[in-house]
């Protein structure tokens, strides 16, 4: 009987712990810093978010260099070979998922790819639709923060001309989010790139983003309050 009493006391907490969140992104989700090494687990935005969501399990799926789409020549729902091939297995091994957060698009801006902010936004939303169709209850698409003087940093060969288009990503994501009714968040509203390479977030930038996304996730998963008289 004592065991059953303890179990019943724990059941609400166990139910809450079943909330599963996938953070799908590139090096700014993996936690790369300006030197090329990785921030500690307490500094990366997915884990900062997790600390503010103690009722959730947050799964980090960041990879250096990940793009939304490698070619952009297919239909809107064709997300390209870079992500298309590993995506089903990548997501399937973490199912069930209650929330997926996608923060991709920075690597689509690399020199020579010729991707426009609007095309990148379409590819990001295509990823969201694939996850929704695959059974993820809620998907949040995050526009990555704009680059800042990348031509002066060690990644100038990749991102030297990307600052101007990166500044247009946030609006492109928000506009398409409204059109598709896919929840969208602009990282630039809470954080900026301040690192020496002009591409990666600082530890403080990760903290600001993680805390803000915790609030955004709660808004996604919590039912709206009923209005008086309803």
């Amino acid at each position: 009987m004592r065991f059953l009493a303890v179990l019943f006391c724990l059941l609400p907490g166990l139910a809450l712990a079943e909330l599963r969140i996938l953070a799908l992104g590139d090096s700014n989700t993996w936690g790369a810093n300006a030197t090329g090494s990785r921030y500690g687990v307490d500094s990366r935005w997915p884990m900062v978010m997790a600390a503010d969501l103690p009722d959730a399990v947050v799964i980090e799926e960041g990879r250096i260099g990940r793009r939304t789409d490698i070619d952009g020549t297919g239909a809107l729902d064709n997300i390209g070979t870079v992500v298309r091939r590993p995506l089903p297995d990548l997501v399937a091994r973490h199912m069930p998922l209650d929330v997926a957060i996608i923060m991709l698009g920075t690597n689509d801006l690399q020199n020579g790819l010729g991707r426009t902010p609007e095309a990148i936004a379409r590819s990001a939303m295509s990823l969201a639709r694939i996850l929704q169709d695959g059974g993820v209850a809620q998907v949040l698409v995050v526009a990555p923060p704009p680059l800042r003087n990348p031509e002066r940093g060690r990644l100038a060969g990749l991102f030297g001309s990307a600052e101007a288009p990166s500044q247009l990503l946030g609006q492109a994501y928000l506009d398409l989010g409204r059109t598709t009714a896919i929840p969208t968040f602009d990282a630039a509203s809470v954080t900026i790139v301040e690192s020496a390479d002009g591409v990666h977030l600082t530890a403080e930038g990760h903290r600001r983003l993680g805390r803000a996304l915790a609030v955004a996730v709660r808004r996604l998963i919590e039912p709206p309050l009923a209005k008086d008289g309803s």
Side-chain angles (χ1 to χ4, degrees), residues 14-21 53 55-58 98-99 217 221:
L14 290 174
L16 288 173
E18 291 177 356
L19 180 72
R20 293 171 58 80
I21 303 172
L53 297 171
D55 53 350
V57 174
V58 176
D98 300 284
V99 180
V217 166
I221 63 177

Side-chain angles (χ1 to χ4, degrees), residues 15-228:
L16 288 173
E18 291 177 356
L19 180 72
R20 293 171 58 80
I21 303 172
L22 177 71
L24 177 64
D26 53 25
S27 57
N28 266 327
T29 297
W30 183 79
N33 60 34
T35 68
S37 59
R38 191 182 192 188
Y39 289 117
V41 67
D42 293 335
S43 297
R44 302 190 294 266
W45 72 258
M47 295 296 99
V48 173
M49 180 181 67
D52 282 357
L53 297 171
D55 53 350
V57 174
V58 176
I59 303 157
E60 294 180 294
E61 267 294 352
R63 182 172 67 78
I64 294 173
R66 181 176 277 149
R67 299 169 180 159
T68 62
D69 190 333
I70 196 171
D71 51 33
T73 59
L76 183 61
D77 287 321
N78 176 8
I79 60 172
T81 57
V82 167
V83 178
R84 183 178 58 201
R85 288 183 296 194
L87 184 64
D89 178 65
L90 181 155
V91 174
R93 67 173 176 257
H94 297 304
M95 293 294 279
L97 292 169
D98 300 284
V99 180
I101 301 173
I102 301 169
M103 188 170 78
L104 289 167
T106 298
N107 288 298
D108 294 54
L109 294 167
Q110 289 181 8
N111 300 336
L113 292 180
R115 303 295 315 276
T116 65
E118 292 75 19
I120 296 169
R122 287 195 297 269
S123 293
M125 297 303 166
S126 295
L127 278 173
R129 283 197 292 273
I130 288 172
L131 295 185
Q132 289 173 334
D133 292 343
V136 180
Q138 297 282 355
V139 181
L140 176 66
V141 178
V142 179
L147 309 187
R148 189 176 185 184
N149 300 320
E151 73 281 359
R152 302 178 187 176
R154 65 181 185 87
L155 299 176
L158 288 174
F159 295 101
S161 60
E163 180 173 1
S166 77
Q167 294 172 343
L168 304 176
L169 275 184
Q171 193 60 53
Y173 279 52
L174 292 174
D175 288 345
L176 196 54
R178 283 190 289 269
T179 301
T180 60
I182 293 173
T184 311
F185 182 89
D186 186 4
S189 66
V190 296
T191 191
I192 60 174
V193 171
E194 298 177 292
S195 62
D197 64 13
V199 175
H200 293 109
L201 293 169
T202 62
E204 176 58 28
H206 274 270
R207 283 190 286 273
R208 290 196 296 263
L209 180 60
R211 290 166 181 162
L213 288 179
V215 174
V217 166
R218 286 221 176 270
R219 289 173 179 165
L220 278 179
I221 63 177
E222 292 177 350
L225 294 175
K227 295 181 180 179
D228 293 339

